[in-house]
Amino acid sequence: MKIAVCVKQVPDSWAEKKMLNGLLDRDGVDAVLNDLDEYAVEEALKLVEAHGGNGEGGSNTVTLISMGPERTKEAVRKALSMGADEAIVVTDPALVGSDVLTTSRVLAAVIAGGGFDLVFCGTESTDARMSVVPAMLAQRLGWAQLTFAGSVQVDPDSRSVTITRVTEAGVDTIKAKFPAIISVNDKINEPRYPSFKGIMASKKKTIDVRALAALGLDAASVGVSGAWSIVNDATPRPPRAAGIKIVDEGAAGEALAAFLAEKKFI
Amino acid sequence: MSDVLILVEYSSDTIAKTTYELATCAARAGAVTALILAAPGKGHALASQITTGPISSVLVIESDDFAKHSVAASADAISQIVQDRKPAALLIASTAFGKEVAARVAVQTESGIITDAIDVAGDLTATQSVFGGSAIVHSHIVHGTAIITVRPNSVTADLSPSTPVVADASFSISDTAKLAEVISSEPFVRGGRPELTEAQIVVSGGRGTNGDFAVIEAFADSLGAAVGASRAATDAGWYPHSHQVGQTGQTVSPQLYVACGISGAIQHRAGMQTSKTIVVVNKDPDAPLFEIADFGVVGDLFAVLPQATEGIRARTS
Ligand SMILES: Cc1cc2nc3c(=O)[nH]c(=O)nc-3n(C[C@H](O)[C@H](O)[C@H](O)COP(=O)(O)OP(=O)(O)OC[C@H]3O[C@@H](n4cnc5c(N)ncnc54)[C@H](O)[C@@H]3O)c2cc1C
Ligand SMILES: Nc1ncnc2c1ncn2[C@@H]1O[C@H](COP(=O)(O)O)[C@@H](O)[C@H]1O
């Protein structure tokens, strides 16, 4: 099987984020591999390990795909050290300020040319927090959409894949044939830590860096000028007015009930 | 007047309050048409329930494919209506399903998309709360129909009486929308409590419960609240995953959020920081969630909650 995993480099979740001219100031914070994408990498690796392996002598490949600034390569390197085989990184100055429609168009262009059977994604990027890229990829490519998977079962012989999706209302079991876009949630597995051997091996793996032109996409249709949603302004939220804080000395439960009554919640 | 569409939200054959919140935002920008996507025979029954809210007309779209092919089929039907009518905006509830439908419609109709809005103005400027609530962003869409998903419970619904005109819409669903098939669907048993994302009050428990959610549930029931949990609690198997609040769980925006034995990691805050009033019960005075609490109790939840539950019962009975 040929598997791809879409991974994104994001500002560290724990770092304070700032806006700069209506865009996220990406240079001012540490950048890491989107932690939700680690579950996608892990699921892809588990899948190939169960069906003949990858790497030297394996019958499958796991290719990482990412769009982002030059330093995205660092995040991609981490996923390579987990065990993926190779990576394609799309980076181009024209892409700065792209909206999600552009991101999905760029990723779809890479996927369309790759001959993949399955593409794994995380459920959301921790910076954009939209959870829409996988659905957009399925729509653009005309592939099956299997998103928010809590479990994935693949039968390479019949080229079919079945997932369970936990929704607000219940659990759905959804089935499709290859090719499919799958996004996996953070309950599905425990992502591995890169081993020393994995880290050393990743240094020899290829990262194929592509500019927009290599994808046949026009610079004018991407970036800020090609974005279909525009930020008018971004302002720090006024800090919440300091609240009441009491220490329980035996009557705090009653005080809480009184507070709730005063605020008309009861 | 501009044409503005909303996608009706319902669960178990009842129109959800979120529908009227969407209508309230949409009506600021134009005349509202509500789309009902439902199984054959169910759509008109739902339409007849709409007797309030600023809704001028209802379009009923019925097909078995919506249950069978989920997001992709719904997006296909809606895209055709958007292509026909070229409305100024399409508002959808910001749930996992709603966002994915919006995403596919945006691609199909070449429209811009904004997700997780907490408000939408008459000129279709959307307000979002980003970076764990530390910034407020205003943005707008400059291409196609403005596709905006709005977080449930963010705006006060206008529930004045209305008598919308009901019509049926014709559409077809493409083969590519049928590639993924729902082969079984097991609904959760609700057990009488309100739905998490719609509830006015949410009471959540974390690792501090040590697995004992009985005190959380008793307190929640005294307030008629929904029950939520931190990831530490769902990972431990103490409460179902579907009740997780946070980045990889549900996003809630209730009038009142009570966090018990939850420290306040950024991923948890991501799912509750737009709650109007926040109460925190935690025995560690330095727990980060106290920073955003309107009322904080430093104490043992096993002492504080039963006493509070009794205090509430005494006031309500
Ligand atoms: C990719 C990713 C996604 C995540 N998504 C989510 C998510 O969606 N939702 C989420 O919640 N987390 C999420 N997390 C996890 C998050 O980082 C925290 O680990 C988690 O929220 C901690 O849960 P907690 O507050 O219950 O536990 P802890 O951080 O262990 O806090 C327990 C608290 O209980 C208090 N306590 C203990 N005993 C008592 C008592 N008897 N009475 C009162 N207080 C007591 C303690 O003082 C402590 O503050 C995610 C993490 C990652 C990496
Ligand atoms: N720039 C990107 N490069 C590669 N993959 C991405 C990118 N943006 C989003 N994704 C994938 O899409 C998923 C959902 O992201 P989002 O819709 O931005 O919340 C992520 O978990 C990634 O798997």
Side-chain angles (χ1 to χ4, degrees), chain A residues 113-173:
Chain A
F116 299 108
D117 297 307
L118 298 172
V119 174
F120 284 89
C121 293
T123 48
E124 78 175 30
S125 51
T126 55
D127 56 345
R129 300 214 57 215
M130 294 184 76
S131 295
V132 296
V133 165
M136 286 186 172
L137 290 176
Q139 176 69 49
R140 289 192 185 281
L141 293 159
W143 289 16
Q145 175 189 326
L146 301 171
T147 45
F148 289 90
S151 71
V152 176
Q153 275 172 354
V154 174
D155 179 13
D157 298 327
S158 64
R159 296 178 60 75
S160 67
V161 48
T162 307
I163 66 143
T164 53
R165 169 176 172 133
V166 181
T167 69
E168 288 101 277
V171 183
D172 289 347
T173 304

Side-chain angles (χ1 to χ4, degrees), chain B residues 10-273:
Chain B
Y10 60 91
S11 74
S12 35
D13 298 335
T14 308
I15 305 274
K17 190 180 74 201
T18 310
T19 298
Y20 303 107
E21 297 167 1
L22 296 173
T24 302
C25 290
R28 296 171 187 155
V32 181
T33 297
L35 310 179
I36 295 181
L37 270 55
K42 297 268 189 198
H44 283 275
L46 285 164
S48 66
Q49 287 176 34
I50 302 183
T51 54
T52 54
I55 298 172
S56 322
S57 55
V58 176
L59 270 187
V60 174
I61 308 158
E62 295 185 334
S63 168
D64 280 325
D65 287 332
F66 300 139
K68 215 161 137 197
H69 304 293
S70 183
V71 174
S74 301
D76 248 35
I78 297 169
S79 294
Q80 285 165 45
I81 291 164
V82 170
Q83 253 139 8
D84 279 0
R85 298 170 62 127
K86 308 242 179 312
L90 165 66
L91 305 190
I92 299 180
S94 217
T95 58
F97 173 84
K99 290 203 277 190
E100 290 195 330
V101 169
R104 294 184 69 116
V105 175
V107 169
Q108 286 197 51
T109 64
E110 304 211 329
S111 297
I113 176 173
I114 293 170
T115 57
D116 278 306
I118 53 169
D119 204 4
V120 181
D123 64 357
L124 295 172
T125 297
T127 307
Q128 291 163 294
S129 165
V130 302
F131 308 149
S134 61
I136 294 286
V137 172
H138 293 108
S139 45
H140 68 283
I141 283 165
V142 293
H143 200 276
T145 290
I147 299 179
I148 303 172
T149 70
V150 183
R151 218 176 253 180
N153 260 341
S154 299
V155 297
T156 310
D158 168 359
L159 291 176
S160 46
S162 63
T163 42
V165 182
V166 180
D168 290 273
S170 65
F171 64 97
S172 63
I173 290 175
S174 68
D175 287 342
T176 45
K178 296 181 185 168
L179 291 170
E181 186 176 342
V182 178
I183 53 175
S184 75
S185 207
E186 282 171 49
F188 294 126
V189 205
R190 264 240 188 279
R193 291 196 185 93
E195 189 159 356
L196 199 51
T197 51
E198 287 233 323
Q200 294 296 317
I201 304 180
V202 175
V203 177
S204 289
R207 202 191 306 275
T209 62
N210 207 12
D212 181 1
F213 264 70
V215 281
I216 304 288
E217 290 185 337
F219 179 63
D221 290 344
S222 74
L223 288 165
V227 174
S230 73
R231 174 163 159 193
T234 61
D235 274 357
W238 299 340
Y239 225 67
H241 182 195
S242 55
H243 289 257
Q244 183 176 313
V245 172
Q247 181 180 45
T248 53
Q250 310 290 339
T251 299
V252 299
S253 208
Q255 293 299 324
L256 170 65
Y257 187 83
V258 186
C260 311
I262 296 176
S263 61
I266 192 151
Q267 292 92 347
H268 188 78
R269 288 189 193 200
M272 47 68 71
Q273 42 89 10

Side-chain angles (χ1 to χ4, degrees), chain A residues 5-10 34-38 40 64-69 72 88 90 100 103-104 106-107 119-137 182-184, chain B residues 99:
Chain A
V5 187
C6 292
V7 298
K8 185 180 184 186
Q9 188 193 47
V10 296
N34 178 27
D35 46 20
L36 294 177
D37 294 345
E38 292 182 20
L64 306 169
I65 300 175
S66 192
M67 172 185 129
T72 292
I88 300 167
V90 182
V100 69
T103 303
S104 63
V106 167
L107 296 174
V119 174
F120 284 89
C121 293
T123 48
E124 78 175 30
S125 51
T126 55
D127 56 345
R129 300 214 57 215
M130 294 184 76
S131 295
V132 296
V133 165
M136 286 186 172
L137 290 176
I182 303 167
S183 77
V184 302
Chain B
K99 290 203 277 190

